[in-house]
Each structure stands twice: as structure tokens, then as C-alpha cells.
């Protein structure tokens, strides 16, 4: 009952009415009470149009939440939470469920005090307000953003029993923004300018160096996600979009762009987000996120509850190198593979949704998915990656994920031979 | 008329130059100085200033040790800043300023922009030099508590691991290997080799 439905007398009458109808329904005959009973929502008035100026999910969806893994980090203001992939479908991540990673908490910026500065090797150091940025030609692009550390905890072996935690450092939204090259043209990049430093306005002042070739190719400055203003935790009012490249580079709360003739080698591109190999050497500037896929349902948090018979397997696939022309699925641990059905938009550097429908005989399953991208790259196994990168290089884990399904439909995170 | 005057007044009060070319305006030199705080390995961006190891220890004990430990060893899950020498090839490498970081400029830049955690950009240039000097001391790069780090000698004592970083080589070492996709009779048997269950690390 609504708390705003009026005097208690009305509430009493309404409650009595519902009870009476339920009793009537029960007398109506055999059948599913969800059908034979008149439900309260079919009888009484719902909330009016002025109840929810900003709509929220049904109260029955209150369990669909981003979640963190508390033991991962020292404090929740320099931490990460995870997109509930097992509860989503299609390719678009709802804004309120897009995973968050920030290094000094969420900056809450007053848009009237927002400024973007361009300096360094430019003809004219410049300042733009948010209104200024909106005067450049706008573009709409759907891109995935994956944290470099996504699946990192799974590198040495299966650890977290849920696709939200193994693969949930990713979101995929439509950005509205302006091309970085259009804004930089106002300042005029000097010919010796080969790198761009992007800097956040938050208390971490996060910085990354980006080569000019990428800057001038497809980088954007976004102020909208899925049609509405960026969420504060995603960089409101303005974030950088670096399509297909590791999420750490997509500077949130973007305040400054500096042009230089060499990279800055700041913390997030030296001490962090570099790939230590068995030799003791480390790869740096490993920007591209390679082709990857995962079955989101069934998965440990989304077991098969309906028993044997027609069963839907679904998941997402993505690549920082382009589109996903093909996804394969196995239900027998990789003895035989089947081409999955990609459904919905197939967009450059966006997640793709795939399905594989089959008739489950109720016997245990070993599920995997395998993404192909436009370069001909095929998603490798974790063993194949570890053979090259060793046991400790846990960034950029795009290895194949295995889910074990038992005869009751319970799903577990495993690795197989 | 009044609208014109107001616009003129605002521009005068802000004392910012107008850029007639298009969108946005020119940044003033003071604005660039206020925000352009980054420094690079070649020293570009370093301000004048200096600080000793001993100065740095005092500041570190008061503002840093609560998370990073008295000797930079790291408390709980907070990052260790010192030690970990010769661990990079081990099963549990400890990546610190001394064992892993390639450039001292990164230390100065990061302290200056982001530390202390929760009170960023509160340290003076001298304090940042002093803290950087103390972290060098904790990592046995200098052994004299009177050592003074300054803009002038900043590049004289590089960190040891710079040569061990190299650019992304996945296009050569990985991509050519990952092109096959077997579809039938791909293996003769399948065994589960590792389980997540029993580890008890998954949140509710």
C-alpha cells in the first residue's frame, strides 16, 4: 500500500477489499492463484505521474546491485565495485549499475565551476567551460570500458564464484560527446607534440599519457552516458573516452590536457598497469584490451533453476581491436564447439550479446565461450596466456572462463585440463 | 546596452584574455601555473626547492607512516614503498619504489598530486623533495640522513629498474599464436583441474 494513499480509513477499506477479492478468487476454481486471484495491482490505483520525477527500478529488482570485494583494497575510497553481469541482458549497461573505480573517492564537481584547460606544446593555451564544450560537433558512440585488472584475481586459478566478480569490471554505454581532435584544434597542436597527458580534477589527480595517433583517431570527451549526464562516479561532468584501451586511461572529472613531446611515465603507467613477466622485465604501454568473452548466464550467481529441457546460454564478447564477428560456445569443456548467435547491434569496440540455445539432458556441463575479433585473433585459454606471461602478471587477463554446471543446475567457477 | 556593459565588466573582473578565433578563451599564465603541476623523468615541471632525508622522515612519520608503515613496509593492504629487492622474478613479487619503479620523477609527481591520501596538494615543494629523499633513503638509494634532494641534483641518482621496462610486444609474442579455433574432437578427455569452491572469498 502507498504511504501517501490518504487517511487510515481509506487504507483500511482498501486492505479489506483486497482480502475479500482474494477469498473470492480462491473460490473461483482450481488453477494458478497468480491467475485465478485478482491481484492487488489489477484492482487498486498505482502511483501517479508525480510520484517519481526520476524513475527507479521496480522494488522487486532491489537485489540487482554493484558489489565490491572488500578484502581487495585497504579502503573503499580507493577501490572498485563490479557490474552485476549475471542480471543484465542486451549490450547496454544501465548507468546506475556501471562498475566504479576511483582512487580518491567520487569527486562531486559543480558544473558551473567546471573548466577544461589545454596547455603545453600548443599555439594557444586555452580554457573551456562545459557550455563551451557543448558548442563543438557532437557524436554518439557505444563503447565498452574494461578495467585493466578485470579477471585479475582469477589469473592464478579460479577464485571468486560469480561472473559479477570475475568479469564485472566492465561496462558498455552510449557516450555523447565531442571529438578530442576538434577541441585540440582550437588550441593548435605544435608539430613536436606527440603525446597528450590527461589529468583528472579529483583528489587523486589521476594522469595518463596517450600517444597523439590515438588522440587524433577516435578519442572523445564525453558529457553524456546513455543519453543523460554522466554519473558522478563516472566522471561528471566530463570524462575522457579512449575506445578499446584500458579503463584507467579514460580520465574522469577531466580538468586538463597537456601536449608534450614524450610520455610522462606517471604512477598509473609505471608502478601500476604494467605487466611484470617471469624474466623480471615488465611490459609497459599495454593499452589495448584484447578480445574476450564470458557466459553471464548460467553462472555461479545465476544457476539453472528450471531443470532439463530447453536452456538458454548467454554472454557478452568484446575486443579493443574492432567488432566481434563470431563467438563459439562449448558445453562439454571444449571437446566440441558451436557457433553462438550474436544478437543485437555489432558495434566497433562495444560489447556484443551472444546466445546459444540447447536442450539440456540434465547431465553435468562444462561451459566456455570463445570470442573472435576482426583481426583474426581468437580468445586464448588461461593456460596459453600463463605459458607466456607466467604466474604473476595478472593484468589483461582475457583468458577463456569455465563454468561447471552440476545435475542440479548449480554452477561453479573452475579451470579444466 | 546594459548587457554589453555587463559582459565587459565580467571580462575585466576575471582579467582573462578572450580568444577571438572560436570556442573557449586563452588561459592566463597564472592559471596554467596553478594547474600544470606534472613533472617528467627529464625534470620538466620540477619547481625550485629542496629537502633532506631527515626533514622527510619527520613529515613521513606524521603524515604517511599510518598507512605506509614506519619503514615504508605498508600497513595492511596499503602499498609498500620500500624493500622487495630481488623479488621481481619470485612467486610473490613486491613492487616498490626501490624494487620496481623506473623513475624517481614518478615518486615526486605522485606525492605532489595525490598525497597524503585525503589531503592532496597540501604539501609544499620543499616537503615533497624531502619526502622523496626519505623514500630514497628507505630504499637504500642514499644512506646519509643529511642528503638533500633538490631540483639541481634530482636526476643524479636514478632508480635502478628503468632498463627492465619495454613497450607492449603482444603483437609479436602473442597475437600470432592465438588464431586457431578447433570445433570438433578438440581433445580426448576433460578433467576439472582447479575449483573456486572452498576458497571462501566470494562476497554474498
Amino acid at each position: 500500500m502507498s504511504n501517501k494513499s490518504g487517511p487510515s480509513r481509506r487504507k483500511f477499506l482498501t486492505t479489506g477489499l483486497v482480502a475479500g477479492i482474494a477469498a473470492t478468487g480462491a473460490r473461483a476454481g482450481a488453477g494458478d492463484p497468480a491467475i485465478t486471484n485478482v491481484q492487488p495491482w489489477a484492482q487498486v490505483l498505482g502511483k501517479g505521474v508525480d510520484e517519481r520525477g526520476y524513475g527507479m527500478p521496480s522494488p522487486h529488482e532491489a537485489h540487482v546491485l554493484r558489489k565490491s570485494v572488500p578484502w581487495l583494497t585497504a579502503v573503499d575510497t580507493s577501490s572498485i565495485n563490479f557490474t552485476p553481469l549475471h542480471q543484465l541482458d542486451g549490450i547496454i549497461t544501465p548507468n546506475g549499475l556501471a562498475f566504479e573505480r576511483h582512487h580518491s573517492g567520487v569527486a562531486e564537481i559543480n558544473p558551473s565551476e567546471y573548466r577544461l584547460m589545454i596547455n603545453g606544446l600548443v599555439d594557444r593555451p586555452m580554457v573551456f567551460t562545459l557550455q563551451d564544450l557543448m558548442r563543438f560537433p557532437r557524436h554518439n558512440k557505444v563503447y565498452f570500458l574494461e578495467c585493466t585488472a578485470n579477471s585479475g584475481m582469477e589469473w592464478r586459478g579460479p577464485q571468486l564464484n560469480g561472473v559479477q566478480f570475475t568479469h564485472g569490471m566492465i561496462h558498455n554505454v552510449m557516450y555523447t560527446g565531442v571529438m578530442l581532435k576538434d577541441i585540440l584544434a582550437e588550441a593548435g597542436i605544435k608539430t613536436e607534440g606527440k603525446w597528450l597527458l590527461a589529468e583528472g580534477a579529483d583528489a587523486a589527480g589521476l594522469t595518463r599519457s596517450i600517444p597523439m595517433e590515438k588522440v587524433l583517431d577516435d578519442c572523445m570527451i564525453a558529457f553524456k552516458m546513455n543519453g543523460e549526464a554522466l554519473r558522478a562516479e563516472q566522471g561528471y561532468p566530463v570524462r575522457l573516452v579512449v575506445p578499446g584501451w584500458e579503463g584507467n586511461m579514460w580520465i574522469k572529472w577531466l580538468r586538463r590536457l597537456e601536449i608534450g613531446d614524450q610520455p610522462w611515465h606517471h604512477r598509473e603507467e609505471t608502478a601500476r598497469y604494467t605487466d611484470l613477466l617471469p624474466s623480471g622485465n615488465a611490459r609497459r604501454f599495454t593499452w589495448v584490451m584484447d578480445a574476450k568473452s564470458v557466459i553471464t548466464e548460467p553462472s555461479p550467481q545465476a544457476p539453472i533453476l528450471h531443470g532439463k529441457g530447453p536452456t538458454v546460454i548467454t554472454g557478452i564478447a568484446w575486443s579493443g581491436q574492432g567488432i566481434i564477428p563470431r563467438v563459439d560456445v562449448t558445453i562439454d569443456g571444449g571437446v566440441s564447439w558451436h557457433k553462438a548467435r550474436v544478437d543485437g547491434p555489432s558495434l566497433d569496440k562495444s560489447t556484443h550479446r551472444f546466445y546459444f540455445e540447447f536442450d539440456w539432458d540434465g547431465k553435468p556441463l562444462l561451459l566456455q565461450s570463445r570470442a573472435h575479433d576482426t583481426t583474426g585473433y581468437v580468445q586464448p585459454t588461461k593456460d596459453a596466456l600463463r605459458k607466456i606471461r607466467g604466474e604473476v602478471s595478472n593484468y589483461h587477463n582475457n583468458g577463456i572462463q569455465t563454468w561447471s554446471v552440476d545435475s542440479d543446475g548449480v554452477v561453479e567457477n573452475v579451470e579444466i585440463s | 546596452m546594459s548587457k554589453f556593459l555587463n559582459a565587459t565588466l565580467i571580462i575585466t573582473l576575471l582579467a582573462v584574455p578572450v580568444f577571438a578565433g572560436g570556442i573557449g578563451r586563452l588561459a592566463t599564465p597564472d592559471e596554467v601555473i596553478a594547474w600544470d603541476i606534472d613533472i617528467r623523468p627529464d625534470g620538466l615541471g620540477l619547481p625550485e626547492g629542496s629537502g633532506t632525508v631527515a626533514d622527510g622522515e619527520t613529515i613521513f612519520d606524521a603524515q604517511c607512516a599510518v598507512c605506509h608503515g614506519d619503514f615504508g613496509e605498508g600497513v595492511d593492504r596499503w602499498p609498500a614503498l620500500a624493500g622487495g629487492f630481488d623479488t621481481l622474478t619470485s612467486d610473490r613479487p613486491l613492487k616498490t619504489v626501490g624494487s620496481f619503479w623506473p623513475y624517481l620523477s614518478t615518486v615526486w609527481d605522485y606525492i605532489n598530486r595525490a598525497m597524503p591520501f585525503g589531503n592532496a596538494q597540501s604539501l609544499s615543494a620543499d616537503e615533497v623533495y624531502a619526502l622523496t629523499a626519505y623514500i630514497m633513503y628507505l630504499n637504500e638509494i642514499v644512506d646519509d640522513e643529511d642528503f638533500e634532494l633538490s631540483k639541481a641534483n634530482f636526476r643524479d641518482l636514478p632508480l635502478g629498474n628503468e632498463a627492465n621496462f619495454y613497450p607492449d610486444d603482444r603483437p609479436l609474442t602473442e597475437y600470432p599464436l592465438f588464431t586457431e579455433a578447433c570445433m570438433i574432437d578438440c581433445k580426448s578427455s576433460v578433467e576439472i583441474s582447479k575449483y573456486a569452491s572452498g576458497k571462501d572469498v566470494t562476497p554474498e
Side-chain angles (χ1 to χ4, degrees):
Chain A
M1 296 301 130
S2 166
N3 290 331
K4 293 183 179 176
S5 61
S8 58
R9 181 172 166 274
R10 186 199 290 178
K11 189 177 271 181
F12 170 78
L13 285 174
T14 313
T15 309
L17 201 61
V18 172
I21 286 165
T24 306
R27 283 197 304 269
D32 181 353
I35 297 170
T36 57
N37 289 355
V38 176
Q39 300 289 356
W41 53 80
Q43 190 81 43
V44 301
L45 301 178
K47 288 179 175 165
V49 295
D50 293 327
E51 286 281 339
R52 299 181 179 114
Y54 192 97
M56 299 298 285
S58 161
H60 302 288
E61 298 295 312
H63 58 291
V64 181
L65 295 168
R66 295 179 290 213
K67 291 179 181 175
S68 71
V69 177
W71 55 261
L72 264 184
T73 52
V75 65
D76 73 351
T77 45
S78 183
S79 191
I80 194 157
N81 62 22
F82 298 81
T83 304
L85 297 176
H86 60 294
Q87 290 160 320
L88 302 178
D89 213 321
I91 65 165
I92 295 294
T93 312
N95 287 342
L97 295 175
F99 86 94
E100 303 168 64
R101 168 56 166 140
H102 22 81
H103 295 70
S104 290
V106 177
E108 302 278 1
I109 294 180
N110 179 342
S112 70
E113 293 176 43
Y114 175 78
R115 304 288 184 272
L116 177 67
M117 180 185 289
I118 300 174
N119 73 307
L121 296 176
V122 293
D123 299 329
R124 299 167 294 276
M126 296 204 61
V127 172
F128 301 94
T129 64
L130 190 56
Q131 289 69 32
D132 290 336
L133 296 181
M134 293 186 178
R135 294 171 65 192
F136 289 93
R138 293 180 212 169
H139 300 265
N140 291 288
K141 290 284 189 178
V142 178
Y143 290 125
F144 77 83
L145 183 161
E146 184 184 17
C147 178
T148 327
N150 198 20
S151 313
M153 294 90 80
E154 302 297 306
W155 182 257
R156 290 172 189 257
Q159 184 161 231
L160 290 155
N161 231 348
V163 71
Q164 178 170 19
F165 305 113
T166 58
H167 289 75
M169 296 183 195
I170 187 169
H171 56 68
N172 198 69
V173 306
M174 179 182 283
Y175 296 96
T176 305
V178 300
M179 300 309 292
L180 191 46
K181 62 186 171 194
D182 290 346
I183 295 169
L184 293 173
E186 289 291 329
I189 304 168
K190 291 184 188 290
T191 49
E192 61 268 38
K194 301 298 181 197
W195 290 81
L196 175 136
L197 183 79
E199 179 181 72
D202 61 321
L206 200 91
T207 42
R208 286 297 299 255
S209 306
I210 305 173
M212 197 55 67
E213 187 181 21
K214 179 68 173 177
V215 167
L216 299 179
D217 177 17
D218 57 0
C219 289
M220 294 171 69
I221 286 178
F223 33 78
K224 295 279 168 65
M225 56 191 290
N226 293 332
E228 64 177 0
L230 294 179
R231 293 292 167 91
E233 63 269 28
Q234 305 298 342
Y236 179 87
V238 172
R239 89 170 311 160
L240 195 61
V241 172
V242 190
W245 287 18
E246 59 188 13
N248 181 259
M249 305 179 82
W250 300 46
I251 302 295
K252 301 192 285 192
W253 314 291
L254 183 70
R255 79 167 193 179
R256 195 169 63 91
L257 302 166
E258 182 174 349
I259 306 296
D261 60 354
Q262 51 183 280
W264 279 258
H265 296 291
H266 279 181
R267 179 181 183 263
E268 309 297 325
E269 52 206 13
T270 55
R272 301 291 188 274
Y273 305 108
T274 50
D275 306 84
L276 180 62
L277 300 177
S279 60
N281 296 339
R283 290 174 180 159
R284 68 181 170 201
F285 300 151
T286 42
W287 300 306
V288 173
M289 300 307 291
D290 289 326
K292 185 169 173 179
S293 68
V294 68
I295 291 168
T296 53
E297 186 190 351
S299 63
Q301 297 160 291
I304 303 175
L305 300 174
H306 55 60
K308 63 185 182 182
T311 300
V312 173
I313 291 173
T314 187
I316 52 173
W318 63 97
S319 168
Q321 309 262 26
I323 67 160
I324 298 291
R326 176 177 151 195
V327 181
D328 306 323
V329 166
T330 178
I331 60 173
D332 61 13
V335 175
S336 58
W337 292 80
H338 315 273
K339 285 187 183 177
R341 183 170 62 84
V342 174
D343 192 276
S346 173
L347 300 169
D348 180 44
K349 303 180 183 73
S350 161
T351 58
H352 292 55
R353 172 62 58 174
F354 68 86
Y355 298 93
F356 178 71
E357 296 91 359
F358 75 112
D359 193 3
W360 185 35
D361 61 9
K363 291 178 181 163
L365 305 167
L366 290 170
L367 306 180
Q368 296 179 326
S369 63
R370 183 174 67 188
H372 301 237
D373 75 15
T374 33
T375 69
Y377 180 94
V378 180
Q379 184 184 359
T381 63
K382 288 165 74 175
D383 278 336
L385 288 172
R386 283 187 295 235
K387 197 172 163 188
I388 298 166
R389 302 185 197 167
E391 294 288 322
V392 303
S393 174
N394 54 13
Y395 289 125
H396 297 285
N397 176 9
N398 66 318
I400 289 173
Q401 172 67 43
T402 311
W403 304 128
S404 168
V405 183
D406 74 11
S407 55
D408 293 326
V410 173
V411 184
E412 185 184 353
N413 178 10
V414 300
E415 280 187 29
I416 57 174
S417 57
Chain B
M1 177 65 185
S2 66
K3 195 177 270 182
F4 171 76
L5 280 176
N6 283 342
T8 311
L9 194 65
I10 289 166
I11 289 165
T12 309
L13 285 174
L14 290 174
V16 292
V18 176
F19 173 53
I23 305 168
R25 65 167 175 83
L26 296 175
T28 70
D30 285 348
E31 287 174 337
V32 174
I33 288 167
W35 272 11
D36 184 0
I37 61 171
D38 58 78
I39 70 162
R40 288 196 318 207
D42 63 359
L44 186 74
L46 268 177
E48 297 297 333
S50 63
T52 65
V53 169
D55 295 339
E57 181 172 11
T58 305
I59 303 163
F60 191 91
D61 288 348
Q63 300 201 48
C64 316
V66 63
C67 296
H68 293 296
D70 289 342
F71 304 99
E73 75 277 17
V75 175
D76 298 330
R77 309 251 343 149
W78 296 101
L81 303 179
F85 307 118
D86 303 318
T87 65
L88 295 186
T89 56
S90 75
D91 186 49
R92 297 285 170 183
L94 183 61
K95 297 192 278 187
T96 72
V97 171
S99 71
F100 187 68
W101 290 36
Y103 302 107
L104 189 64
S105 59
T106 312
V107 181
W108 202 102
D109 179 87
Y110 186 70
I111 295 170
N112 185 51
R113 71 173 54 253
M115 292 289 114
F117 188 70
N119 192 22
Q121 300 189 52
S122 62
L123 298 165
S124 69
D126 287 346
E127 289 174 317
V128 179
Y129 277 109
L131 284 168
T132 306
Y134 184 60
I135 291 169
M136 294 169 78
Y137 178 81
L138 290 175
N139 282 290
E140 302 170 22
I141 297 162
V142 294
D143 58 9
D144 180 357
E145 289 200 16
D146 295 327
F147 170 76
E148 183 177 71
L149 185 68
S150 67
K151 183 179 179 183
N153 68 358
F154 195 86
R155 297 181 66 195
D156 294 349
L157 292 161
L159 301 181
N161 199 41
E162 177 183 345
N164 294 323
F165 285 83
Y166 61 94
D168 186 4
D169 66 351
R170 286 176 293 171
L172 294 173
T173 58
E174 296 191 5
Y175 296 171
L177 305 177
F178 304 145
T179 58
E180 300 293 322
C182 175
M183 295 301 282
I184 53 168
D185 298 330
C186 301
K187 46 179 107 164
S188 53
S189 67
V190 180
E191 300 293 332
I192 296 177
S193 54
K194 298 174 183 171
Y195 297 83
S197 64
K199 294 193 175 158
D200 202 24
V201 292
T202 308
E204 285 298 312

